Amino acid sequence: MTTPQHPSFPPRRPGRGPNAEEGDGRAAGHVPDDAHGTSDGRHEADHGYGTGHGHGSGGGHGAGGGHGHSHGHGPAAPVSRHLRKVIAAVLIPFAAAVVVGLAVLWPGGAPSHERTGVGFDRQTQQATVTKVVELSCQSVNASGGTPTGDTSTAEGSSAVQQAEGECKRATIRVDTGDDKGRTFEEIVQPDQSRQLHEGQKVVVAYEPSAPRDLQFSVTDINRRLPLALLAGIFALAVVVVGRLRGLMALVSLAISFLLLNFFILPAILQGSNPLVVAVIGSSAIMLIALYLCHGLSARTSVAVLGTLISLLLIGVLGSLFIGWAALTGNTDDNTGLIHGLYPSIDMSGLLLAGVIIGSLGVLDDVTVTQTSAVWELHEANPTMGWRGLYRAGIRIGRDHIASVVNTLVLAYAGAALPLLLLFSIAQSGVGTVANSELVAEEIVRTLVGSIGLVASVPVTTALAALVVSADRPAQAQGAAAGAGAPARGGRGRRRKR
């Protein structure tokens, strides 16, 4: 009697091809269930439900022999203890210095001062427009004569509208404060950009030293409801898309605002050096935001180191060129008011602090992205040395540099668009515009921040490549023991973080 012969089993391939992810098991040396007589663990191995442990079958299965593979879909394994010690030796003293700086410079609140009644330094209350009546502007304007000037100019056109147009008399009710329920009237000219209508919520300024009929005046529209709704939509979108990580991002954003309002701003107002306050505050925000959003890992620690080095570079360059260009930081009404109320504040230092804080958010994005790119390149090919990882990572970084620098420049240009329009109307030359202190501040702010961003790419990429490649010998031994053969696709490994 002849023994039936089974068809020969195809030889196992040493590496998995690009289509071996489909879960059919052929590229890893699996056989159908009827040949093995069992299907224990096959779906777990093929579909990635394992937690990074090896799975193998012994001899007796044709040429497919013993095999093993390990998937990186479970909890990430940390880097070696030696590397963790090296990273901790750098970051723990830095974090301790930040905590000490916060404790030493922490203010007890912003110092008090007499209200000037100028700009935002006024007493304000919430109010509602209860009634609006249209009437002739000629009956309410002090000058009864018809203007005869040139109506082609803005002043002449406005005078004609005030004399011949229809004005509005608005009755406003105060809703908050000691004068709640009090009403007053305000005349709205036809050429005013802010027109009032019945039921509208407004903000009114209060000046106690003025005559009673002139103590209140409308200063702005109450926009709290639309702004709160927009913020809610933003928070919902972040949580829905980002899930837990999105929620952590919102928490870190709230902590950043708390540090800004309760440490950075009051400490500067109390006379502390703006540069020192900005460095300590930015470092605290960076540590909290990165570790809260991305976890306590070597990958995050490398991003923190790259961000820190780039911030130091921005601080040095900013200090050098702000001093060299003789930028005072006192260029508009707001900075002039600050200098008038608190003459001891170093306005040029305040300008440098703004450059550092403004660059921090974009730096976090660049350093985290570059670190993740190097880690994933190492996952795809564990045999790649640090030079290969650096070259591959820097190619990704070049695209990032182009987009981020363009974004930063356009962001500053968009914020200064009204100013640029004024210079365009005046038909000033490019050299004249750039030389003015108001524009020179923005140029220095943009270029210094962009240099820091550009430098963060090679710095962070080099740090990440050195860290992930330092564990290569141990990883190669583990992969060889688990797979029994070289794995070209990098499947037989544990994920390094």
Side-chain angles (χ1 to χ4, degrees):
M1 181 176 179
T2 304
T3 303
Q5 299 293 325
H6 291 283
S8 61
F9 190 80
R12 182 172 65 88
R13 299 175 184 176
R16 295 177 67 109
N19 298 322
E21 296 279 346
E22 299 296 328
D24 58 4
R26 286 191 297 267
H30 285 282
V31 296
D33 292 344
D34 56 353
H36 279 286
T38 178
S39 61
D40 294 340
R42 189 181 69 162
H43 290 286
E44 178 183 355
D46 288 346
H47 296 284
Y49 297 125
T51 57
H53 57 274
H55 170 78
S57 56
H61 300 293
H67 68 276
H69 45 250
S70 173
H71 297 268
H73 298 283
V79 296
S80 68
R81 180 177 300 178
H82 174 70
L83 279 178
R84 293 201 302 271
K85 288 181 179 180
V86 172
I87 295 173
V90 176
L91 288 181
I92 289 179
F94 168 66
V98 171
V99 172
V100 171
L102 288 173
V104 171
L105 297 178
W106 192 271
S112 59
H113 68 277
E114 294 292 333
R115 287 187 179 272
T116 62
V118 179
F120 292 103
D121 194 34
R122 291 180 287 184
Q123 298 183 42
T124 59
Q125 302 293 344
Q126 306 300 316
T128 304
V129 180
T130 59
K131 185 178 180 181
V132 176
V133 177
E134 292 188 356
L135 69 164
S136 172
C137 290
Q138 194 169 15
S139 64
V140 296
N141 289 332
S143 58
T146 303
T148 58
D150 184 7
T151 58
S152 62
T153 64
E155 294 81 1
S157 177
S158 175
V160 170
Q161 289 185 28
Q162 292 180 15
E164 301 177 355
E166 290 293 325
C167 294
K168 295 178 181 179
R169 177 186 286 120
T171 303
I172 296 113
R173 182 189 68 238
V174 180
D175 296 333
T176 59
D178 297 335
D179 292 305
K180 182 178 180 180
R182 179 177 166 182
T183 61
F184 66 96
E185 292 183 347
E186 183 160 314
I187 301 300
V188 181
Q189 301 291 341
D191 59 338
Q192 285 184 212
S193 59
R194 182 178 60 242
Q195 296 292 315
L196 302 179
H197 57 81
E198 189 171 332
Q200 190 173 29
K201 300 293 183 180
V202 294
V203 179
V204 296
Y206 175 63
E207 179 50 59
S209 61
R212 181 173 176 81
D213 293 342
L214 302 176
Q215 286 181 335
F216 284 98
S217 61
V218 177
T219 60
D220 212 339
I221 305 299
N222 189 336
R223 304 179 180 88
R224 294 185 178 182
L225 180 59
L227 292 179
L229 179 60
L230 182 60
I233 295 173
F234 163 74
L236 181 63
V238 170
V239 172
V240 168
V241 177
R243 299 186 180 179
L244 180 60
R245 184 161 292 186
L247 180 61
M248 291 297 100
L250 292 178
V251 173
S252 67
L253 180 63
I255 295 174
S256 300
F257 274 110
L258 290 176
L259 282 172
L260 184 65
N261 289 320
F262 291 99
F263 172 70
I264 296 177
L265 299 179
I268 292 175
L269 290 177
Q270 283 194 346
S272 299
N273 187 295
L275 177 58
V276 176
V277 172
V279 169
I280 294 175
S282 299
S283 300
I285 291 173
M286 172 186 66
L287 291 172
I288 294 172
L290 288 179
Y291 283 117
L292 192 61
C293 293
H294 303 285
L296 189 63
S297 64
R299 177 187 294 195
T300 308
S301 298
V302 170
V304 168
L305 288 174
T307 305
L308 175 61
I309 295 173
S310 302
L311 279 179
L312 291 176
L313 176 61
I314 290 173
V316 171
L317 288 177
S319 178
L320 174 63
F321 282 95
I322 287 175
W324 193 5
L327 299 177
T328 63
N330 189 2
T331 54
D332 55 22
D333 293 338
N334 293 326
T335 54
L337 179 59
I338 293 172
H339 184 66
L341 293 174
Y342 301 96
S344 61
I345 293 180
D346 180 11
M347 299 304 295
S348 60
L350 187 63
L351 172 62
L352 179 57
V355 173
I356 293 174
I357 295 173
S359 303
L360 178 61
V362 189
L363 272 178
D364 289 349
D365 172 56
V366 173
T367 55
V368 169
T369 302
Q370 284 303 116
T371 306
S372 298
V374 173
W375 243 264
E376 294 304 322
L377 288 168
H378 182 65
E379 290 286 337
N381 187 359
T383 62
M384 187 183 296
W386 80 267
R387 288 184 179 85
L389 287 172
Y390 176 80
R391 285 194 294 267
I394 207 68
R395 285 195 294 270
I396 299 173
R398 291 191 185 105
D399 291 336
H400 207 180
I401 287 173
S403 61
V404 168
V405 169
N406 193 45
T407 300
L408 191 64
V409 172
L410 291 179
Y412 283 124
L417 197 57
L419 176 64
L420 297 178
L421 283 174
L422 288 177
F423 282 110
S424 179
I425 292 171
Q427 296 182 354
S428 301
V430 175
T432 303
V433 172
N435 190 67
S436 65
E437 184 173 1
L438 197 58
V439 177
E441 279 188 7
E442 299 302 324
I443 293 174
V444 171
R445 192 195 314 268
T446 303
L447 296 182
V448 168
S450 298
I451 291 171
L453 290 174
V454 171
S456 69
V457 172
V459 169
T460 308
T461 304
L463 287 173
L466 288 171
V467 169
V468 296
S469 61
D471 279 348
R472 190 177 126 200
Q475 185 192 41
Q477 292 174 5
R488 189 187 309 169
R491 300 279 296 181
R493 68 194 184 280
R494 293 178 64 88
R495 180 172 300 199
K496 298 291 182 182
R497 297 284 180 184

